[in-house]
Amino acid sequence: MTLGVGVLATGVAAAEREEHFSAFVASHRERARRLAWRLIGGDEAAAEDILQDAFVKAYRGLKSFRGDASLETWFYRILVRQAHNYRRWCAVRDLWSGSRNDPSPPSGAELGDPGLRRRIASALTQLSRRQREAFILVHLEGFTVQECADLLGKPTGTIKSHLHRALTTLRAELIDLQGPRKE
Amino acid sequence: MSAKREPNVCSPEEADFIHRVADLYAPPPMTPTQRTAFDAALEKRLSRGARVSFLRPVAVVATACTAVLVWFTIQRQSVFLPTGAPSSEVVIVAPEDATTGVEDATLLTYAYYDPEFYGEESDEDNEEDEQFLPDEYEALATALAFPDT
């Protein structure tokens, strides 16, 4: 279900707003969780925490939401920022503790090859923040370049540049994934 | 001359690479149990948040009132309680015929606010004042070993 801009805006009755917000959560929960998981490097528990925080912030901020952007863009912007804050917090924590965490913790590793997943997570850390976010949003999550630009608050040209560089770097880092695809 | 290609329009090799990465780098979908737990936790946080936002102004006012009350109490105690090192402005004077606590408090208040009442402080004054202190105070002062007594 996709919500219109005005559905959750001010002036709508609280009960109706809550009902629509529940529908919004139900329709975006899975995609948003996957996005958070990819943005933070594959920690399932942390991804769920970030998603909860993003939903809570969005809910509390509904009164101030003026419909300048679509509700989805607004929500995903909050989510990307939450994920970034989490990564930054992890970096500070690692700096203070003098250790470096594995970029791909084992949680959620029931599917696929955990080793490959770790390598992809490690390759993604080679990218700059914006390159990584643009690559994940556009190539892995299917956002358009325009949506990604709105979400990150950057011009489309900058996003295209990030995408190009990210793809080049990742192909060089993960060269063994470029062979013929095994079905 | 090479045609400038849109970076988001990928070649077949690039698209294949991206699909592989997308397939390999994804969390397992939520189970129905996980979904239910997630929704319950979210609902709990949202309702808690509403309660917290309602109580926040009340908490701010209560904290401010408590701070003012504590400050006022400390100020009052600093006037009436004897201290080990009396400041140059406060001298505790006990008149010979001091009888009740109310009178003492009144005198002390005058002493605090009216400089002419106590005049200049000197060691002689202190020694003289100590003669009028009750025995209990002297015992306490000895026990607690106030530096100036």
Coordinates of all heavy atoms in Angstrom, one line a residue, chain A residues 65-125:
Chain A
F65 N 5.7 16.7 9.3 CA 5.8 16.3 7.9 C 4.9 17.2 7.1 O 3.7 17.2 7.2 CB 5.5 14.9 7.7 CG 5.5 14.4 6.3 CD1 6.7 14.4 5.6 CD2 4.3 14.0 5.7 CE1 6.7 14.0 4.3 CE2 4.3 13.6 4.3 CZ 5.5 13.6 3.7
R66 N 5.5 18.0 6.2 CA 4.7 19.0 5.4 C 4.4 18.6 4.0 O 3.9 19.3 3.2 CB 5.4 20.3 5.5 CG 5.3 21.0 6.8 CD 6.1 22.3 6.8 NE 7.5 22.1 6.7 CZ 8.4 23.0 6.8 NH1 8.0 24.3 7.0 NH2 9.7 22.8 6.7
G67 N 4.9 17.4 3.6 CA 4.6 16.9 2.3 C 5.5 17.5 1.2 O 5.1 17.5 0.0
D68 N 6.7 18.0 1.6 CA 7.6 18.5 0.6 C 8.1 17.4 -0.3 O 8.4 17.6 -1.5 CB 8.8 19.3 1.2 CG 8.3 20.5 2.0 OD1 7.2 21.0 1.7 OD2 9.0 20.9 3.0
A69 N 8.3 16.2 0.3 CA 8.7 15.1 -0.4 C 7.7 14.0 -0.2 O 6.8 14.2 0.6 CB 10.1 14.6 0.1
S70 N 7.8 12.9 -0.9 CA 6.8 11.8 -0.6 C 7.1 11.2 0.7 O 8.3 11.3 1.2 CB 6.9 10.8 -1.7 OG 8.0 9.9 -1.5
L71 N 6.1 10.6 1.3 CA 6.3 10.0 2.6 C 7.4 8.9 2.6 O 8.2 8.8 3.5 CB 5.0 9.4 3.1 CG 5.0 9.0 4.5 CD1 5.0 10.2 5.5 CD2 3.8 8.1 4.8
E72 N 7.4 8.1 1.5 CA 8.4 7.1 1.4 C 9.8 7.7 1.4 O 10.7 7.2 2.1 CB 8.2 6.3 0.1 CG 7.0 5.3 0.2 CD 5.7 6.0 -0.2 OE1 5.7 7.2 -0.4 OE2 4.7 5.3 -0.2
T73 N 10.0 8.7 0.6 CA 11.3 9.3 0.6 C 11.7 9.9 1.9 O 12.9 9.7 2.4 CB 11.3 10.5 -0.4 OG1 10.9 10.0 -1.7 CG2 12.7 11.1 -0.6
W74 N 10.8 10.5 2.6 CA 11.0 11.1 3.9 C 11.4 10.0 4.9 O 12.4 10.1 5.6 CB 9.7 11.8 4.4 CG 9.8 12.5 5.7 CD1 10.6 13.6 6.0 CD2 9.1 12.1 6.8 NE1 10.4 13.9 7.3 CE2 9.4 13.1 7.8 CE3 8.1 11.1 7.1 CZ2 8.9 13.0 9.1 CZ3 7.6 11.1 8.4 CH2 8.0 12.1 9.4
F75 N 10.7 8.9 4.9 CA 10.9 7.8 5.8 C 12.3 7.1 5.5 O 13.1 6.9 6.4 CB 9.8 6.7 5.7 CG 10.2 5.4 6.4 CD1 10.3 5.4 7.8 CD2 10.6 4.3 5.7 CE1 10.7 4.2 8.5 CE2 11.0 3.1 6.4 CZ 11.0 3.1 7.7
Y76 N 12.6 6.9 4.2 CA 13.8 6.2 3.9 C 15.0 7.1 4.2 O 16.1 6.7 4.4 CB 13.8 5.7 2.5 CG 13.1 4.4 2.3 CD1 11.8 4.4 1.7 CD2 13.6 3.2 2.9 CE1 11.1 3.2 1.6 CE2 12.8 2.1 2.8 CZ 11.6 2.1 2.1 OH 10.9 0.9 2.1
R77 N 14.8 8.4 4.1 CA 15.9 9.4 4.5 C 16.2 9.2 5.9 O 17.4 9.2 6.3 CB 15.4 10.8 4.2 CG 16.5 11.8 4.2 CD 16.0 13.2 3.9 NE 15.5 13.3 2.6 CZ 14.6 14.3 2.2 NH1 14.2 15.2 3.0 NH2 14.3 14.3 0.9
I78 N 15.2 9.1 6.8 CA 15.4 8.9 8.2 C 16.1 7.6 8.4 O 17.1 7.5 9.2 CB 14.0 8.8 9.0 CG1 13.4 10.2 8.9 CG2 14.2 8.4 10.4 CD1 11.9 10.2 9.4
L79 N 15.7 6.6 7.7 CA 16.4 5.2 7.9 C 17.8 5.3 7.5 O 18.7 4.7 8.2 CB 15.6 4.2 7.0 CG 16.1 2.8 7.1 CD1 15.8 2.2 8.5 CD2 15.4 1.9 6.1
V80 N 18.1 5.9 6.4 CA 19.5 6.0 5.9 C 20.4 6.7 6.9 O 21.5 6.3 7.3 CB 19.6 6.6 4.5 CG1 21.1 6.9 4.1 CG2 19.0 5.7 3.5
R81 N 19.8 7.8 7.5 CA 20.5 8.6 8.5 C 20.8 7.7 9.8 O 21.8 7.8 10.4 CB 19.7 9.8 8.8 CG 20.6 10.9 9.5 CD 19.9 12.2 9.6 NE 19.6 12.8 8.3 CZ 18.5 13.5 8.0 NH1 17.7 13.8 9.0 NH2 18.3 14.0 6.8
Q82 N 19.7 7.0 10.1 CA 19.9 6.1 11.3 C 21.0 5.1 11.1 O 21.8 4.9 12.0 CB 18.6 5.4 11.6 CG 17.5 6.2 12.2 CD 17.8 6.7 13.6 OE1 17.9 7.8 13.9 NE2 18.0 5.7 14.5
A83 N 21.0 4.5 9.9 CA 22.1 3.5 9.6 C 23.4 4.2 9.6 O 24.4 3.6 10.2 CB 21.8 2.9 8.3
H84 N 23.5 5.4 9.1 CA 24.8 6.1 9.1 C 25.2 6.4 10.5 O 26.4 6.2 10.9 CB 24.7 7.4 8.3 CG 25.9 8.3 8.5 ND1 27.1 7.9 8.0 CD2 26.0 9.5 9.0 CE1 28.0 8.9 8.3 NE2 27.3 9.8 8.9
N85 N 24.3 6.8 11.4 CA 24.6 7.1 12.8 C 25.1 5.9 13.5 O 26.0 5.9 14.3 CB 23.4 7.7 13.5 CG 23.1 9.1 13.1 OD1 24.0 9.8 12.5 ND2 21.9 9.6 13.3
Y86 N 24.5 4.7 13.1 CA 24.9 3.5 13.8 C 26.3 3.1 13.4 O 27.2 2.7 14.2 CB 23.9 2.4 13.4 CG 24.4 1.0 13.8 CD1 24.2 0.6 15.1 CD2 25.1 0.1 13.0 CE1 24.6 -0.7 15.6 CE2 25.5 -1.1 13.4 CZ 25.3 -1.5 14.7 OH 25.7 -2.7 15.1
R87 N 26.6 3.3 12.1 CA 28.0 2.9 11.6 C 29.0 3.9 12.3 O 30.1 3.4 12.6 CB 28.1 3.1 10.1 CG 27.4 2.0 9.3 CD 27.7 2.2 7.8 NE 29.1 1.8 7.5 CZ 29.4 0.6 6.9 NH1 28.5 -0.2 6.6 NH2 30.6 0.3 6.7
R88 N 28.7 5.1 12.4 CA 29.6 6.1 13.0 C 29.8 5.7 14.5 O 30.9 5.8 15.0 CB 29.0 7.5 12.9 CG 30.0 8.6 13.0 CD 29.5 9.9 12.5 NE 28.2 10.2 13.1 CZ 27.5 11.3 12.9 NH1 28.0 12.2 12.1 NH2 26.4 11.6 13.5
W89 N 28.7 5.4 15.1 CA 28.8 5.0 16.5 C 29.7 3.7 16.7 O 30.6 3.7 17.6 CB 27.4 4.7 17.1 CG 27.4 4.3 18.5 CD1 27.6 5.0 19.6 CD2 27.3 2.9 19.0 NE1 27.5 4.3 20.7 CE2 27.4 3.0 20.4 CE3 27.1 1.7 18.4 CZ2 27.3 1.8 21.2 CZ3 27.0 0.6 19.1 CH2 27.1 0.6 20.5
C90 N 29.6 2.8 15.8 CA 30.4 1.6 15.8 C 31.9 1.9 15.6 O 32.7 1.4 16.2 CB 30.0 0.6 14.7 SG 28.4 -0.3 15.1
A91 N 32.1 2.9 14.7 CA 33.5 3.3 14.4 C 34.1 3.9 15.6 O 35.3 3.6 16.0 CB 33.5 4.3 13.2
V92 N 33.3 4.7 16.3 CA 33.8 5.4 17.5 C 34.1 4.3 18.6 O 35.1 4.3 19.3 CB 32.8 6.4 18.1 CG1 33.2 6.9 19.4 CG2 32.7 7.6 17.1
R93 N 33.1 3.4 18.7 CA 33.3 2.3 19.7 C 34.5 1.5 19.4 O 35.3 1.2 20.4 CB 32.0 1.4 19.7 CG 32.0 0.4 20.8 CD 30.8 -0.5 20.6 NE 30.9 -1.2 19.3 CZ 30.0 -2.0 18.7 NH1 28.8 -2.1 19.3 NH2 30.2 -2.6 17.6
D94 N 34.8 1.2 18.2 CA 35.9 0.4 17.8 C 37.2 1.2 18.1 O 38.2 0.6 18.5 CB 35.9 0.0 16.3 CG 34.8 -1.0 16.1 OD1 34.2 -1.6 17.0 OD2 34.4 -1.2 14.9
L95 N 37.1 2.4 17.8 CA 38.3 3.3 18.1 C 38.7 3.3 19.6 O 39.9 3.1 19.9 CB 38.0 4.7 17.6 CG 39.2 5.7 17.5 CD1 40.1 5.3 16.4 CD2 38.7 7.1 17.3
W96 N 37.7 3.4 20.4 CA 37.9 3.4 21.8 C 38.3 2.1 22.4 O 39.2 2.0 23.3 CB 36.7 4.0 22.6 CG 36.6 5.4 22.6 CD1 36.0 6.2 21.6 CD2 37.3 6.4 23.4 NE1 36.2 7.5 21.9 CE2 37.0 7.7 23.0 CE3 38.1 6.2 24.6 CZ2 37.4 8.8 23.7 CZ3 38.5 7.3 25.2 CH2 38.2 8.6 24.8
S97 N 37.7 1.0 21.9 CA 38.1 -0.3 22.4 C 39.3 -0.8 21.8 O 39.8 -1.9 22.2 CB 36.9 -1.2 22.2 OG 36.7 -1.4 20.8
G98 N 39.8 -0.2 20.7 CA 41.0 -0.6 20.0 C 40.8 -1.9 19.2 O 41.8 -2.5 18.8
S99 N 39.6 -2.3 19.0 CA 39.3 -3.5 18.1 C 38.6 -3.1 16.9 O 38.0 -2.0 16.8 CB 38.5 -4.5 18.9 OG 37.2 -3.9 19.2
R100 N 38.6 -3.9 15.9 CA 37.9 -3.7 14.7 C 36.9 -4.8 14.5 O 37.3 -6.0 14.4 CB 38.8 -3.6 13.5 CG 38.2 -3.4 12.2 CD 38.7 -2.3 11.4 NE 38.0 -2.1 10.2 CZ 37.0 -1.2 10.1 NH1 36.6 -0.6 11.1 NH2 36.3 -1.1 8.9
N101 N 35.6 -4.5 14.4 CA 34.6 -5.6 14.3 C 34.6 -6.1 12.8 O 34.9 -5.4 11.9 CB 33.2 -5.0 14.6 CG 33.0 -5.0 16.1 OD1 33.9 -5.5 16.9 ND2 32.0 -4.4 16.6
D102 N 34.2 -7.3 12.7 CA 34.0 -7.9 11.4 C 32.9 -7.2 10.7 O 31.9 -7.0 11.3 CB 33.6 -9.4 11.6 CG 33.6 -10.2 10.3 OD1 33.4 -9.5 9.3 OD2 33.9 -11.4 10.4
P103 N 33.1 -6.7 9.5 CA 32.0 -6.0 8.9 C 30.8 -6.8 8.6 O 29.7 -6.2 8.4 CB 32.7 -5.5 7.5 CG 33.8 -6.4 7.3 CD 34.3 -6.8 8.7
S104 N 30.9 -8.1 8.6 CA 29.7 -8.9 8.4 C 29.6 -9.9 9.5 O 30.0 -11.0 9.4 CB 29.8 -9.6 7.1 OG 28.6 -10.4 6.9
P105 N 28.9 -9.5 10.6 CA 28.7 -10.5 11.7 C 27.9 -11.7 11.2 O 27.1 -11.6 10.2 CB 27.9 -9.6 12.7 CG 28.2 -8.2 12.3 CD 28.3 -8.2 10.9
P106 N 28.0 -12.8 11.9 CA 27.3 -14.0 11.4 C 25.8 -14.0 11.5 O 25.2 -14.9 10.9 CB 27.9 -15.1 12.3 CG 28.3 -14.4 13.6 CD 28.7 -13.0 13.1
S107 N 25.2 -13.0 12.2 CA 23.7 -13.1 12.3 C 23.1 -13.0 10.9 O 23.5 -12.2 10.1 CB 23.3 -11.9 13.2 OG 23.5 -10.7 12.6
G108 N 22.0 -13.8 10.8 CA 21.3 -13.7 9.5 C 22.0 -14.4 8.4 O 21.8 -14.1 7.2
A109 N 22.9 -15.4 8.8 CA 23.8 -16.0 7.7 C 23.2 -17.4 7.3 O 24.0 -18.2 6.9 CB 25.2 -16.1 8.2
E110 N 21.9 -17.6 7.5 CA 21.4 -18.9 7.2 C 21.3 -19.2 5.7 O 21.3 -20.3 5.2 CB 20.0 -19.0 7.8 CG 20.0 -19.1 9.3 CD 20.0 -17.7 9.9 OE1 20.0 -16.7 9.2 OE2 20.1 -17.6 11.2
L111 N 21.2 -18.1 4.9 CA 21.1 -18.3 3.5 C 22.4 -17.9 2.8 O 23.1 -17.0 3.2 CB 20.0 -17.3 2.9 CG 18.5 -17.6 3.4 CD1 17.6 -16.6 2.8 CD2 18.1 -19.0 2.9
G112 N 22.7 -18.6 1.7 CA 23.8 -18.2 0.9 C 25.1 -18.6 1.5 O 25.2 -19.4 2.5
D113 N 26.2 -18.1 1.0 CA 27.5 -18.4 1.4 C 28.0 -17.3 2.4 O 28.2 -16.2 2.0 CB 28.4 -18.5 0.2 CG 29.9 -18.9 0.6 OD1 30.2 -18.9 1.8 OD2 30.6 -19.2 -0.4
P114 N 28.2 -17.7 3.7 CA 28.6 -16.6 4.6 C 29.9 -16.0 4.3 O 30.1 -14.8 4.5 CB 28.7 -17.4 6.0 CG 28.0 -18.7 5.7 CD 28.0 -19.0 4.3
G115 N 30.8 -16.8 3.7 CA 32.1 -16.3 3.3 C 32.0 -15.2 2.3 O 32.6 -14.1 2.3
L116 N 31.2 -15.5 1.3 CA 31.0 -14.5 0.2 C 30.3 -13.3 0.7 O 30.6 -12.1 0.3 CB 30.1 -15.1 -0.9 CG 30.8 -15.7 -2.1 CD1 29.9 -16.3 -3.1 CD2 31.6 -14.6 -2.8
R117 N 29.4 -13.5 1.6 CA 28.6 -12.3 2.2 C 29.6 -11.4 2.9 O 29.6 -10.2 2.8 CB 27.5 -12.8 3.1 CG 26.7 -11.7 3.7 CD 25.7 -12.2 4.7 NE 24.6 -13.0 4.0 CZ 24.4 -14.3 4.2 NH1 25.2 -15.0 4.9 NH2 23.4 -14.9 3.6
R118 N 30.5 -12.1 3.7 CA 31.5 -11.3 4.4 C 32.4 -10.5 3.4 O 32.8 -9.4 3.7 CB 32.4 -12.2 5.3 CG 32.2 -12.0 6.7 CD 33.2 -12.8 7.6 NE 33.3 -14.2 7.2 CZ 32.6 -15.1 7.7 NH1 31.6 -14.8 8.6 NH2 32.8 -16.4 7.4
R119 N 32.7 -11.2 2.3 CA 33.6 -10.5 1.4 C 32.9 -9.3 0.7 O 33.5 -8.2 0.5 CB 34.1 -11.5 0.3 CG 35.2 -12.4 0.8 CD 35.7 -13.2 -0.4 NE 36.2 -12.4 -1.5 CZ 36.0 -12.7 -2.8 NH1 35.4 -13.8 -3.1 NH2 36.4 -11.8 -3.7
I120 N 31.6 -9.5 0.4 CA 30.9 -8.3 -0.1 C 30.8 -7.2 0.8 O 31.0 -6.0 0.5 CB 29.5 -8.8 -0.6 CG1 29.6 -9.8 -1.7 CG2 28.6 -7.6 -1.0 CD1 28.3 -10.5 -2.1
A121 N 30.5 -7.6 2.1 CA 30.4 -6.5 3.1 C 31.8 -5.8 3.3 O 31.8 -4.6 3.4 CB 30.0 -7.1 4.5
S122 N 32.9 -6.6 3.2 CA 34.2 -5.9 3.3 C 34.5 -5.0 2.1 O 35.0 -4.0 2.2 CB 35.2 -7.1 3.4 OG 36.5 -6.5 3.4
A123 N 34.0 -5.5 0.9 CA 34.2 -4.7 -0.3 C 33.4 -3.4 -0.2 O 33.9 -2.3 -0.7 CB 33.9 -5.5 -1.5
L124 N 32.2 -3.5 0.3 CA 31.4 -2.3 0.5 C 32.0 -1.3 1.4 O 31.8 -0.1 1.2 CB 30.0 -2.7 1.0 CG 29.1 -3.3 -0.1 CD1 27.8 -3.9 0.6 CD2 28.6 -2.2 -1.1
T125 N 32.8 -1.8 2.4 CA 33.4 -0.8 3.3 C 34.6 -0.1 2.6 O 35.0 1.0 3.2 CB 34.0 -1.5 4.6 OG1 34.9 -2.5 4.1 CG2 32.9 -2.2 5.4

